[in-house]
């Protein structure tokens, strides 16, 4: 046993297993206890203990006790306390802080709990010895700081060894710009970059685009900030980029500039998410130019609803790719998902009398050629849902696992999909587990007859679908939705627009769909027990069943009169 504990690899494995990522305070306390056992374990346990931080307070507490003060707000929990400095630190006060800061490779700052205030950050940055970052060996930075005055200090964590950076939900989108502008200088080895905005469309900044265009090692990019042509063309030529989630600004000549590139376009891309103000003609050309044979997921989101013809061109370019059989997930969102809260607050619905934007089967026809799809999601006010569309999708995508066809939010519109329209999904998509389609259940479903097809469906999301006969609906669905964990999700009164009549309808329909879900579980259990009894019972003759034998009379005794 002693020989095993002398192996650094075994000790690190023990400490890593006890640490479990550091999210649980008890796990951190366990490794901290191991850290104080002996020198042999201390060397390894200290590296594991300090490798991941979720707050700078442990480092501040390494300074002399007369330098900092901890104020407990509600209880003695560390997450509900704040730390402030009582005086500027001297050079000798930094020794333990710097020694442990060298061991930090991951810093994840998120949540609403207070960490350090602006004065503490400013003092640490002004008086730290040397110009190096606060955490010089940091490789991963997750920065979601709710305090606007503190968010800008994320710049102080950027360093030459940083490879993963996520900037999430800033108090103001303009606070992202100083950090993004300096990435090529501060973090030249950056391989994973994510920056999310608070508004639906982030600020356009040419300096940010030029900075991104100088990052040579990017493998995944998720940017809500619009990128200009130079940055987009640079991303298109990176040989190792596998995930690209970008907001493309309006550019008429991006297609021509892509054609002038001699090397392959997005050669290793597997996930492509494109957001834009409108569906530009250059986007279908972009899809056709992607050379990667591994493209499996495509997400298109635009602020303005596209015309049916432009969307058809985009889907045609997607389905005409030589590697279309690799494509497994397609998502179409109109408008931008980030703009939905604003639309809800304004009760804004686009005019629905625009036939050029109608998303019927003709607009979606090219997508039917991608027969290997397992996930399909379409969010639009203009999608025309009916039983025929569901039937065509079920026949075209037999491997479908998730189908979501919903408006951006519930606004009282009644779908043309009936309960019987779901039958093709149950028959032709055996792997289907999640369905989100608004229904018209105001009429009683047809009789079951011999149409019973058990499925693995786990979730049926009906949004604000109207319903009038919950018991008959439950009997119909229980013949197909036989999984023990099956559930129905319906829109609550607050989940949608704020018109009083729509809110009342959603409240009534939601309670009725809840009743359907309870009845389905009961019916499925009863049917399962009946099937079990039939299988266990031995075969019996007609005499055992109490039936009379058929009457056999001689033909001569039968009178025809």
């Amino acid at each position: 046993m002693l020989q095993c504990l002398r192996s650094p690899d075994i000790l690190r494995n023990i400490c890593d297993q006890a640490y479990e990522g550091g999210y649980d305070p008890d796990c951190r306390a366990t490794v901290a206890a191991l850290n104080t056992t002996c020198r042999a374990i201390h060397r390894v346990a200290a590296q594991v203990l300090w490798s991941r931080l979720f707050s700078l307070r442990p480092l501040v507490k390494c300074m002399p006790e007369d330098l900092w003060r901890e104020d407990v707000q509600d209880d003695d929990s560390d997450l509900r306390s704040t730390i402030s400095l009582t005086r500027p630190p001297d050079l000798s006060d930094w020794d333990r802080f710097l020694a442990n800061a060298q061991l930090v490779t991951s810093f994840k700052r998120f949540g609403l709990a207070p960490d350090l205030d602006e004065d503490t950050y400013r003092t640490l940055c002004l008086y730290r010895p040397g110009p190096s970052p606060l955490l010089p060996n940091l490789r991963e930075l997750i920065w979601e700081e709710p305090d606007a005055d503190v968010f800008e200090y994320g710049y102080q964590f950027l360093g030459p060894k940083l490879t993963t950076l996520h900037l999430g939900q800033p108090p103001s989108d303009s606070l992202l710009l100083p950090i993004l502008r300096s990435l090529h200088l501060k973090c030249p080895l950056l391989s994973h970059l994510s920056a999310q905005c608070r508004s639906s469309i982030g600020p356009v900044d040419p300096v940010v685009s030029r900075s991104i265009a100088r990052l040579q090692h990017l493998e995944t990019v998720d940017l809500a900030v619009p990128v200009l042509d130079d940055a987009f063309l640079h991303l298109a030529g990176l040989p190792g980029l596998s995930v690209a989630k970008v907001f493309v600004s309006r550019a008429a000549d991006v297609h021509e500039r892509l054609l002038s590139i001699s090397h392959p376009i997005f050669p290793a891309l597997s996930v492509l998410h494109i957001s834009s103000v409108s569906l530009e003609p250059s986007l279908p050309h972009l899809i056709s130019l992607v050379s990667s044979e591994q493209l499996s997921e495509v997400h298109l989101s635009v602020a303005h609803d596209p015309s049916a013809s432009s969307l058809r061109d985009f889907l045609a370019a997607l389905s005409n790719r030589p590697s279309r059989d690799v494509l497994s997930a397609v998502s179409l969102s109109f408008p931008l998902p980030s703009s939905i809260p604003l639309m809800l607050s304004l009760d804004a619905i686009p005019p629905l009398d625009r036939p050029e934007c109608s998303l019927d089967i003709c607009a979606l026809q090219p997508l039917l050629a991608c027969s290997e799809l397992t996930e399909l999601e379409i969010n639009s006010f203009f999608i025309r849902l009916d039983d025929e569309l569901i039937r065509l999708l079920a026949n075209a995508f037999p491997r479908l696992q998730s189908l979501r066809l919903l408006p951006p939010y519930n606004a009282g519109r009644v779908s043309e999909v009936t309960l019987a329209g779901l039958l093709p999904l149950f028959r032709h998509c055996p792997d289907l587990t999640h369905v989100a389609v608004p229904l018209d259940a105001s009429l009683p479903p047809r009789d079951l007859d011999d149409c019973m097809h058990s499925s693995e469906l786990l979730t049926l999301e009906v949004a604000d679908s109207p319903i009038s006969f919950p018991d008959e609906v439950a009997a119909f669905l229980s013949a197909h939705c036989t999984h023990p964990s099956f559930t129905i999700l319906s829109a609550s009164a607050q989940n949608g627009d704020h018109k009083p009549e729509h809110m009342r309808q959603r409240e009534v329909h939601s309670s009725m769909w809840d009743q359907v879900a309870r009845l389905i579980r009961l019916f499925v259990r009863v049917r399962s027990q009946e099937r079990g009894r039939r299988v266990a019972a031995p075969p019996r003759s007609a005499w055992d069943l109490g039936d009379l034998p058929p009457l056999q009379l001689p033909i001569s005794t039968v009178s025809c009169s």
Side-chain angles (χ1 to χ4, degrees):
M1 184 65 179
L2 181 61
Q3 294 297 327
C4 293
L5 293 179
R6 289 177 178 174
S7 172
D9 294 335
I10 294 178
L11 287 177
R12 174 170 290 276
N13 191 24
I14 293 174
C15 294
D16 284 336
Q17 293 294 328
Y19 199 59
E20 293 185 356
Y23 293 95
D24 189 345
D26 293 336
C27 295
R28 297 198 297 269
T30 300
V31 179
L34 289 173
N35 186 40
T36 60
T37 54
C38 65
R39 292 183 180 179
I41 299 180
H42 165 75
R43 297 188 185 95
V44 177
Q47 294 177 358
V48 174
L49 182 63
W50 290 100
S51 61
R52 305 178 188 92
L53 284 186
F54 301 90
S55 169
L56 283 188
R57 284 174 288 178
L59 283 175
V60 174
K61 290 182 178 181
C62 291
M63 292 181 165
E65 293 185 359
D66 64 330
L67 181 61
W68 52 271
R69 181 181 67 251
E70 184 174 16
D71 299 322
V72 179
Q73 297 179 352
D74 294 334
D75 50 37
D76 56 356
S77 172
D78 189 50
L79 291 178
R80 295 188 176 274
S81 62
T82 58
I83 288 184
S84 58
L85 299 180
T86 58
R87 60 175 176 82
D90 299 327
L91 286 178
S92 59
D93 298 331
W94 286 91
D95 294 342
R96 290 182 59 201
F97 183 104
L98 296 177
N100 292 324
Q102 294 280 344
L103 303 176
V104 181
T105 59
S106 173
F107 182 49
K108 300 179 180 180
R109 173 69 189 111
F110 50 79
L112 299 177
D115 187 27
L116 303 181
D117 58 19
E118 180 193 9
D119 293 337
T120 304
Y121 268 108
R122 181 171 60 250
T123 303
L124 291 175
C125 294
L126 287 176
Y127 289 91
R128 73 176 185 268
S132 62
L134 285 174
L135 305 174
N137 292 319
L138 195 64
R139 290 173 173 80
E140 179 187 31
L141 174 60
I142 310 297
W143 189 248
E144 296 185 0
E145 175 58 57
D147 189 339
D149 295 328
V150 176
F151 189 91
E152 60 184 354
Y153 285 96
Y155 179 88
Q156 303 297 329
F157 296 97
L158 303 182
K161 297 183 180 181
L162 195 66
T163 59
T164 300
L165 173 62
H166 169 73
L167 305 172
Q169 298 298 322
S172 173
D173 291 342
S174 60
L175 296 175
L176 291 170
L177 301 182
I179 299 177
L180 296 176
R181 289 168 180 169
S182 60
L183 291 181
H184 65 292
L185 297 175
K186 292 285 188 177
C187 316
L189 300 180
L190 200 63
S191 57
H192 306 282
L193 173 61
S194 172
Q196 305 304 315
C197 295
R198 180 168 293 275
S199 58
S200 57
I201 301 178
V204 179
D205 190 282
V207 181
V208 171
S209 292
R210 286 196 293 269
S211 176
I212 295 173
R214 297 180 185 180
L215 297 174
Q216 304 296 330
H217 303 279
L218 288 174
E219 299 176 9
T220 63
V221 173
D222 185 359
L223 290 176
V225 177
V227 295
L228 301 180
D229 286 2
D230 52 352
F232 188 79
L233 294 172
H234 169 72
L235 295 176
L238 289 177
L241 188 68
S242 60
V243 177
K245 301 179 181 180
V246 293
F247 196 108
V248 182
S249 60
R250 292 185 174 182
D253 60 340
V254 65
H255 175 226
E256 289 74 11
R257 296 182 64 180
L258 284 172
L259 289 175
S260 64
I261 297 179
S262 57
H263 50 76
I265 305 298
F266 291 115
L269 199 64
S270 60
V271 177
L272 176 61
H273 288 202
I274 299 178
S275 300
S276 181
V277 174
S278 60
L279 183 51
E280 301 288 342
S282 59
L283 294 182
H285 296 302
L286 167 65
I287 294 297
S288 61
L289 290 175
V290 174
S291 61
S292 172
E293 297 182 356
Q294 308 165 15
L295 186 61
S296 61
E297 179 181 334
V298 174
H299 184 170
L300 173 66
S301 181
V302 297
H304 303 312
D305 290 275
S307 64
S309 59
S310 61
L311 180 61
R312 183 182 176 89
D313 293 340
F314 180 87
L315 296 178
L318 194 61
S319 61
N320 290 332
R321 288 176 41 80
S323 59
R324 68 185 182 189
D325 290 340
V326 181
L327 190 65
S328 61
V330 172
S331 176
L332 308 172
S333 298
F334 320 122
L336 297 173
S338 54
S339 65
I340 300 303
L342 178 60
M343 294 182 64
L344 273 173
S345 65
L346 300 175
D347 283 335
I349 299 179
L352 301 179
D353 55 346
R354 297 173 57 189
E356 72 278 5
C357 296
S358 177
L359 303 185
D360 54 13
I361 190 57
C362 295
L364 303 176
Q365 183 71 38
L367 189 62
L368 302 182
C370 304
S371 59
E372 299 298 317
L373 276 189
T374 59
E375 298 180 17
L376 175 61
E377 179 176 3
I378 303 177
N379 294 322
S380 173
F381 284 115
F382 290 95
I383 186 170
R384 294 293 179 258
L385 294 175
D386 54 26
D387 291 352
E388 179 64 14
L389 176 61
I390 300 298
R391 184 187 67 82
L392 292 174
L393 295 179
N395 291 331
F397 309 131
R399 301 183 186 276
L400 204 61
Q401 299 176 11
S402 175
L403 177 64
R404 297 182 58 84
L405 308 174
L406 294 172
Y409 62 86
N410 302 307
R413 295 188 62 193
V414 179
S415 170
E416 296 182 15
V417 179
T418 64
L419 287 167
L422 298 179
L423 291 178
L425 294 174
F426 300 143
R427 294 169 180 167
H428 304 298
C429 304
D431 300 326
L432 193 63
T433 57
H434 300 280
V435 172
V437 176
L439 305 170
D440 183 5
S442 58
L443 298 177
R446 70 184 191 189
D447 294 336
L448 294 180
D449 298 331
D450 57 348
C451 299
M452 298 176 64
H453 296 271
S454 60
S455 69
E456 294 299 316
L457 194 66
L458 294 175
T459 304
L460 176 61
E461 187 174 346
V462 297
D464 58 350
S465 301
I467 179 173
S468 301
F469 303 91
D471 50 350
E472 297 186 28
V473 172
F476 178 87
L477 290 177
S478 65
H480 310 281
C481 307
T482 57
H483 197 282
S485 302
F486 174 76
T487 185
I488 295 179
L489 302 178
S490 58
S492 63
Q494 302 296 329
N495 189 7
D497 62 2
H498 304 303
K499 293 183 178 179
E501 63 273 18
H502 292 166
M503 296 180 67
R504 286 193 298 269
Q505 292 173 1
R506 283 196 294 269
E507 184 177 8
V508 172
H509 294 155
S510 178
S511 62
M512 298 179 74
W513 282 111
D514 291 341
Q515 180 183 354
V516 171
R518 291 191 297 270
L519 289 174
I520 288 177
R521 287 191 288 269
L522 174 62
F523 293 163
V524 168
R525 187 165 63 250
V526 171
R527 282 197 171 105
S528 178
Q529 293 173 355
E530 290 177 348
R531 294 190 188 102
R533 283 195 291 267
R534 290 197 191 101
V535 172
R540 294 182 294 177
S541 64
W543 286 96
D544 295 330
L545 295 174
D547 297 335
L548 293 175
L551 181 63
Q552 298 180 356
L553 297 175
I555 296 179
S556 59
T557 61
V558 178
S559 175
C560 297
S561 59

